[in-house]
Structure formats: C-alpha cells, structure tokens
Amino acid sequence: MAKVPSVPSAAVAAGGLVGGYGVARWTKKRQLGGAVLAVAGAAAAQQWRQRAGGKAAGALTVAYVAAFAGSHPLAKKVGAWPAVLGVAGAVALASWAVADRQA
C-alpha cells in the first residue's frame, strides 16, 4: 500500500488562520470561525510536537495564538484580509523552519 503524504504543519496552521477568518466572515458566526481556528491549531500543534518536540510545539502554539490576536489591531492599519494573510504567512514560515524543514 502506498504511503499517503502528510500535509505540512505550515499549511495546516496557515489554513487555520485564513480559514477561521473566512468562515467567520462569510457565515457571520464568529464561533464557527473560532472552531475552525481551534481545530486547525490543535492539529498543527500535534504535528509540531511529533516533528520538533514539546518545547518547539509550545513556542509555535504561542506564535499561532499571538498571530490570531495580533491580526486584529493590524487589520485596523492594513485591512482585514492583508492582516490575516500576513500573520498566516509568518506562522507558516515559522512552522516550516522549526518543524517541516526536516521532514
């Protein structure tokens, strides 16, 4: 049986930030967007722990939450989508550098 390639944690984390915002915006249900954000964050954290260890997973989880929180004041300066895409890119880059690059 062929091995199914896993999705990079960078894509999971960035997708959680972008997807969470998109779902909240399009459904007008912030809780639904928060659920997307939380599920993707938990999935990424599990990958980070498996690939880079507990300390790295903790640091990347803090970065993920900080990116979510930081996107709000950033959105007031640059707009909502640019802010979300910017922080998602930053988290993806950090995730790749710490956890995905070795895989």
Side-chain angles (χ1 to χ4, degrees), residues 2-102:
K3 182 180 175 186
V4 177
S6 65
V7 176
S9 63
V12 174
L17 289 162
V18 173
Y21 174 69
V23 166
R25 181 171 178 145
W26 290 316
T27 64
K28 299 192 184 342
K29 296 188 185 316
R30 291 174 60 127
Q31 301 89 340
L32 197 54
V36 170
L37 180 81
V39 168
Q46 182 178 12
Q47 287 181 305
W48 294 329
R49 191 170 27 271
Q50 290 171 347
R51 294 177 184 171
K55 288 183 181 181
L60 288 168
T61 300
V62 167
Y64 184 79
V65 173
F68 166 70
S71 69
H72 292 83
L74 183 59
K76 292 179 181 177
K77 297 181 180 197
V78 300
W81 276 114
V84 170
L85 294 173
V87 300
V91 168
L93 182 61
S95 181
W96 175 82
V98 173
D100 293 336
R101 184 171 42 168
Q102 297 92 0

